[in-house]
Amino acid sequence: SSASKTLDKYALFVPKSGVFPKGYEVASLASGVKKNGALDLGVIRNVNKSRKSSAAAVFTTNRFKAAPVQFSRKVLDISSGEGVDAIVVNSGCANAVTGELGMQDAENVASQVNKYVGEQNSTLLMSTGVIGQRLQMDKISTGIDKLFIENKFSSDFGSWLNLAKSICTTDTFPKLISSKFSLSDGTEYTLVGISKGAGMICPNMA
Amino acid sequence: TLLGFVLTDLPINSSALQSMLTGAVTRSFNCISVDGDMSTNDTICMLANGAIDTPVIDESSPDFQKVSSQVTEFAKNLAQLVVRDGEGATKFVTVNVKNSAEFKDARLIAESISNSMLVKSALYGQDANWGRILCAIGYSKLENCKSLDESKINVSFIATDGSSPQELKLIANGVPQLDIDESRASEILALSDLEVLVDLGTGTEECQFWTCDLSHEYVTINGDYRS
């Protein structure tokens, strides 16, 4: 316990700057789902229109798949992974083991974002938090409206870091990395990655 | 729960992207463990929006393997951050199983060690308990013993701080080293980054798994998560 406290993981592992891929914007806010008023809702959107985007995913192989897992799989099946332009993440509530009502809530969240993005089947969902509780749809829905209507989207470092914070649960630091790479002909491209998790971790995704 | 996403500005068709992501996750996020529990929500997704002006990458593109390798290494870095933040964790542990006849066997053995509560407790307590590591190898769910020959197995702790000797052998060719240098073991186990090396000596395949120790704090955090 004392060893744990002597490690300042935030200082060690959270970057102070980053390089980010072109054509993405992110936004986040505290919707009120988390009890402590911390960031708990985020949206990533693709704003590049020069080509159709591609999407891929792997999901838990747990038999009890949460509503956002089932929903996102459906979106990828229907769209064949083409034209997915948004990801909504929320923390505080996993929307898991919530049955038909949970699926309806997931669909409503995605529909709301699809309207702003302007395309059907263009939004993936991720939720994390307590199992067996329904999403507080009034807070989530109000939060999404606020992000889009007040155009909270940006591509600066602070916005990406806040997005990483918005999916944290028991995490002690947000997990954000980014890097530039080169193709064989020297063309540069960029990867950015965000993850969350601290417990209930032994994934076997497919 | 594990959640994550990787975004790129490359143009990659969806089939190639799925292949790339699945390959990367097999050697990154699917090779981590904090507590052995699998969530109802685990998801990793990847988007490629094609904002970079370059030909679309598919499975037959010359750069497909190169980008796949880069995405895999990137995913490993991202996955390792989750382990470093394991609830109550004080140590980041790489379990490296090498020279296995089959990759899947190396993975099963690495996973078995990584999920052992007793191995993880010993690592927290800085106890060079090689018996628990060997025990976890022995009950790993191998289909057969092609990769595991008791007379060829070597188990070591590896120092990660550049100090010497870097390797502390616990088991050599199946024989426990009963005169372990306990003071050197204590030095290595006091590090916040550790490596457990298992050399099966039965082939050329290898798998790395990343785990953490198990501390009192884990129970404190999870005793009242819902309420």
Side-chain angles (χ1 to χ4, degrees), chain A residues 45-84:
Chain A
R45 69 177 185 187
N46 167 37
V47 293
N48 175 60
K49 298 299 170 197
S50 66
R51 297 188 235 220
K52 251 188 171 180
S53 67
S54 298
V58 289
F59 301 102
T60 182
T61 47
N62 191 313
R63 187 70 182 265
F64 298 104
K65 290 172 182 60
V69 169
Q70 297 178 52
F71 180 81
S72 294
R73 278 178 59 173
K74 197 167 78 177
V75 169
L76 288 175
D77 283 346
I78 292 169
S79 67
S80 300
E82 287 189 358
V84 171

Side-chain angles (χ1 to χ4, degrees), chain A residues 1 3-4 7 9 13 20-24 35 44 46 48 50-62 64-66 68-69 76 80-82 84-87 89-90 94-97 124 126-131 133 160 163 167 169-173 175-179 181-185 187-205, chain B residues 1-15 17-19 21-22 25-26 29-57 62-63 66-68 70-71 73-75 77-79 81-91 107 111 115 124 126 192-193 209 215-218 221-222 225-227:
Chain A
S1 179
S4 177
L7 274 179
K9 293 182 181 178
F13 303 120
F20 301 104
K22 294 176 185 173
Y24 295 99
K35 291 172 188 169
I44 303 150
N46 167 37
N48 175 60
S50 66
R51 297 188 235 220
K52 251 188 171 180
S53 67
S54 298
V58 289
F59 301 102
T60 182
T61 47
N62 191 313
F64 298 104
K65 290 172 182 60
V69 169
L76 288 175
S80 300
E82 287 189 358
V84 171
D85 286 330
I87 305 171
V89 296
N90 79 275
N95 191 11
V97 202
L124 301 180
M126 292 185 186
S127 300
T128 178
V130 179
I131 294 173
Q133 292 180 359
W160 283 98
L163 179 72
I167 54 171
T169 49
T170 56
D171 306 56
T172 63
F173 63 90
K175 296 152 190 74
L176 167 68
I177 59 172
S178 61
S179 189
F181 297 89
S182 296
L183 300 179
S184 301
D185 65 1
T187 302
E188 279 199 331
Y189 74 97
T190 307
L191 292 175
V192 62
I194 287 177
S195 62
K196 69 80 47 181
M200 197 179 270
I201 299 290
C202 189
N204 183 24
M205 297 171 287
Chain B
T1 292
L2 172 79
L3 297 181
F5 42 85
V6 175
L7 312 176
T8 183
D9 42 18
L10 274 177
I12 306 172
N13 79 14
S14 54
S15 160
L17 192 71
Q18 185 65 57
S19 167
L21 180 67
T22 301
V25 167
T26 300
F29 289 101
N30 277 358
C31 290
I32 63 172
S33 177
V34 169
D35 49 21
D37 269 20
M38 186 199 295
S39 168
T40 51
N41 291 55
D42 293 334
T43 303
I44 300 290
C45 72
M46 186 167 178
L47 295 188
N49 69 359
I52 297 284
D53 186 17
T54 191
V56 176
I57 294 172
D63 272 328
K66 184 183 175 87
V67 175
S68 294
Q70 290 167 338
V71 169
E73 289 308 307
F74 189 81
N77 290 334
L78 196 55
L81 288 177
V82 174
V83 177
R84 289 191 181 280
D85 201 17
E87 286 167 343
T90 71
K91 296 186 188 302
R107 190 185 180 285
E111 184 178 23
N115 280 337
Y124 173 65
Q126 303 180 15
S192 57
D193 277 32
F209 229 84
S215 73
H216 307 275
E217 192 67 13
Y218 181 86
I221 292 167
N222 285 289
Y225 184 71
R226 183 176 172 278
S227 55

Side-chain angles (χ1 to χ4, degrees), chain B residues 127-147:
Chain B
D127 178 10
N129 198 322
W130 54 266
R132 290 180 182 174
I133 297 172
L134 201 64
C135 178
I137 294 169
Y139 65 66
S140 58
K141 293 173 179 158
L142 305 177
E143 282 175 18
N144 54 55
C145 286
K146 194 176 163 191
S147 300

